């Protein structure tokens, strides 16, 4: 175990000091801070300050305040004594606009389309209500005429179950899942690359003089896995802290639960895909041949991220349900299904149990491939040879 930890420490230290690691993490961190900080910096929490001179202007202002949510606005209404006071308030910035009467607005600049539409709608409503009152229609009848019934929205059958990808909570979890996908791809390929580089340089022959193949492979996987876990903890912590402090997005409890699920799924996903990448890397002896060797594993990962699209389009469909349970796709799909409320804890635990069982089968297989292939430093190793050849030559 001590030798395994020494190898893990070496892998961790070498990668964390590499220029590529530092530059890529700096770029990711900068984009994360920009994504959280920019909406916060541009967000104006102050309500639109609307003054009014009284009479019909007061009625329009009151109706505008009542209708503000429908226009996604926040309006504060304030009475103003006269036009001179209104102009002074506009010039010193205490008011944004002043209603002089039902159809006239005084401002020191533009109103903006949303505010203009709100005031126009309120003014029209006040005018119509006044005309109805003059026509002898009482207040109860006028209220019934202006009552708005809720709109019933229907979708075609194949899209009725689709998730709104622009929902902030879904977008945040999708971003975390996409980061998880990237980390599994990058760190998994680092495992394969490290194996091939040691074989090509024949350093592995020196290392195996004092280490068993299982210790060398385990240390490599643990070191890179710990580095990836540190990275995802750092980025997730910054993202969660930024969301809580700035409140640019209000996440429901299910979204926070899905966000937290990314961490254990990273651990399971890394053990799974690191084993697959290790098997692929064991089959070749030159870095030039590595991409073709790991391509099947990368395609599986791409299939997993594509399964997320099915989960968003039809989260209760067969494809999404199966992808949420299959160990190769569950680490990517399961957090999304949890975020949109299409899976519960028993299903999550079932998916985790299946992933653990699959890893328990895969890790010994990867160790066997590595043990039987690690000293073959020339040419490609066939699957048959990796399965059984050379077992007696390594200890």
């Amino acid at each position: 175990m001590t030798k395994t930890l020494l190898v893990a420490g070496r892998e961790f230290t070498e990668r964390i000091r590499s220029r590529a690691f530092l530059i890529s993490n700096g770029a990711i961190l900068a984009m994360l801070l920009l994504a959280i900080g920019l909406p916060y910096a541009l967000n104006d929490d102050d309500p639109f300050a609307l003054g009014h001179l009284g009479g019909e202007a007061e009625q329009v202002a009151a109706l505008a305040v009542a209708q503000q949510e429908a226009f996604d606005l926040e309006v504060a209404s304030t009475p103003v004594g006269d036009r001179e006071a209104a102009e002074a308030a506009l010039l010193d910035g205490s008011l944004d606009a002043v209603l002089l009467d039902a159809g006239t607005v005084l401002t020191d600049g533009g109103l903006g389309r949303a505010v203009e539409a709100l005031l126009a709608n309120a003014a029209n409503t006040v005018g119509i209500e006044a005309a109805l009152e003059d026509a002898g229609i009482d207040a109860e009848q006028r209220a019934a005429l202006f009552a708005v019934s809720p709109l019933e929205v229907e979708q075609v059958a194949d899209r009725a179950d689709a998730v709104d990808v622009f929902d902030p909570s879904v977008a945040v979890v999708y971003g975390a899942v996409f980061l998880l996908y990237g980390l599994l791809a990058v760190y998994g390929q680092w495992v394969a690359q490290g194996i091939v580089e040691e074989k090509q340089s024949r350093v592995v022959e020196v290392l195996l003089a004092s280490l068993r193949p299982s210790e060398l492979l385990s240390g490599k996987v643990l070191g890179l896995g710990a580095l990836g876990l540190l990275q995802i903890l750092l980025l997730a912590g910054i993202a969660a802290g930024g969301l809580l402090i700035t409140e640019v997005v209000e996440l429901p409890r299910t979204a926070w639960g899905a966000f937290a699920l990314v961490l254990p799924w990273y651990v399971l996903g890394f053990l799974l895909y690191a084993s697959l990448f290790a098997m692929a890397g064991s089959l070749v002896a030159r870095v030039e041949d590595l991409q073709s060797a790991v391509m099947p594993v990368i395609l599986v990962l791409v299939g997993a991220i594509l399964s997320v699209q099915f989960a968003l389009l039809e989260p209760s469909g067969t494809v999404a349900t199966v992808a949420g349970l299959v160990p190769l796709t569950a680490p990517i799909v399961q957090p999304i299904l949890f975020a949109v409320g299409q899976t519960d804890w028993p299903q999550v635990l079932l998916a985790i149990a299946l992933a653990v069982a699959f890893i328990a089968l895969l890790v010994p297989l990867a160790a066997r491939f590595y043990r039987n292939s690690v000293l073959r430093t020339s040419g490609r190793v066939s699957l048959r040879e990796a399965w059984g050849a050379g077992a007696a030559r390594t200890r």
Side-chain angles (χ1 to χ4, degrees):
M1 186 64 182
T2 302
K3 293 180 180 180
T4 299
L5 294 178
L6 287 174
V7 176
R10 185 199 67 168
E11 293 288 339
F12 185 94
T13 304
E14 286 184 358
R15 291 296 181 181
I16 201 172
R17 290 178 177 176
S18 66
R19 179 177 298 180
F21 177 83
L22 296 175
I23 292 175
S24 62
N25 274 275
I28 294 173
L29 184 58
M31 289 188 293
L32 180 60
L33 293 176
L34 184 64
I36 296 175
L38 189 60
Y40 179 73
L42 298 178
N43 186 31
D44 185 8
D45 291 332
D46 295 331
F48 186 86
L50 178 64
H52 59 81
L53 294 184
E56 287 188 347
E58 183 177 1
Q59 297 178 32
V60 173
L63 191 56
V65 172
Q67 296 177 342
Q68 59 185 339
E69 292 185 3
F71 289 80
D72 196 22
L73 292 170
E74 187 176 355
V75 179
S77 176
T78 305
V80 180
D82 51 34
R83 183 179 180 117
E84 183 178 350
E87 292 178 354
L90 290 171
L91 292 174
D92 65 23
S94 58
L95 290 178
D96 297 312
V98 177
L99 283 164
L100 301 180
D101 55 46
T104 307
V105 183
L106 182 66
T107 179
D108 189 35
L111 280 176
R113 292 185 178 180
V115 175
E116 187 174 350
L118 171 63
L119 296 180
N121 182 74
N124 289 336
T125 302
V126 169
I128 294 173
E129 189 169 0
L132 292 175
E133 184 178 6
D134 292 340
I137 298 177
D138 59 32
E140 184 177 348
Q141 291 174 317
R142 295 199 304 271
L145 288 173
F146 287 108
V148 178
S149 300
L151 183 65
E152 183 177 348
V153 180
E154 295 183 357
Q155 292 183 329
V156 292
D158 61 342
R159 295 298 302 275
D161 197 27
V163 175
D164 181 10
V165 295
F166 295 104
D167 186 307
S169 61
V170 176
V172 167
V173 177
Y174 184 81
V177 165
F178 197 81
L179 173 63
L180 171 61
Y181 159 78
L183 292 179
L184 292 179
V186 170
Y187 284 94
Q189 289 186 80
W190 279 356
V191 171
Q193 181 180 341
I195 291 173
V196 177
E197 288 175 347
E198 289 173 355
K199 290 177 69 175
Q200 185 170 358
S201 64
R202 321 239 4 190
V203 171
V204 67
E205 297 176 1
V206 178
L207 294 173
L208 290 179
S210 57
L211 294 168
R212 289 180 297 177
S214 59
E215 293 174 333
L216 185 57
L217 179 61
S218 299
K220 192 178 297 293
V221 171
L222 288 177
L224 293 175
L227 182 58
L229 183 60
L230 176 64
Q231 183 179 3
I232 200 170
L233 283 172
L234 176 63
L235 296 176
I238 292 174
L243 292 173
L244 289 172
I245 293 172
T246 62
E247 296 183 345
V248 293
V249 175
E250 294 184 7
L251 296 182
R253 183 176 299 178
T254 53
W256 282 112
F259 195 69
L261 277 176
V262 171
L263 297 178
W265 276 120
Y266 164 77
V267 175
L268 295 173
F270 178 77
L271 290 175
L272 192 155
Y273 278 99
S275 300
L276 292 175
F277 276 108
M279 292 169 64
S282 300
L283 300 178
V284 294
R286 300 189 310 161
V287 174
E288 293 83 355
D289 300 327
L290 180 61
Q291 284 303 314
S292 61
V294 301
M295 185 56 65
V297 185
I298 294 175
L299 291 177
V300 173
L301 256 178
V302 172
I305 199 66
L306 290 178
S307 299
V308 172
Q309 309 307 318
F310 286 99
L312 292 174
L313 289 173
E314 194 177 357
S316 61
T318 303
V319 174
T321 302
V322 172
L325 295 175
V326 172
L328 290 171
T329 54
I332 307 294
V333 177
Q334 193 63 228
I336 289 290
L337 293 179
F338 193 87
V340 300
Q342 287 297 324
T343 186
D344 51 18
W345 282 110
Q347 290 176 301
V348 171
L349 294 177
L350 174 60
I352 290 175
L354 291 174
V356 170
F358 189 70
I359 291 169
L361 295 175
L362 194 60
V363 168
L365 182 61
R368 180 168 184 161
F369 269 52
Y370 182 75
R371 182 176 64 249
N372 293 339
S373 307
V374 67
L375 289 177
R376 291 176 172 261
T377 55
S378 61
R380 294 181 67 104
V381 181
S382 68
L383 292 176
R384 183 176 180 179
E385 291 172 328
W387 173 258
R393 296 187 309 172
T394 58
R395 48 194 178 96

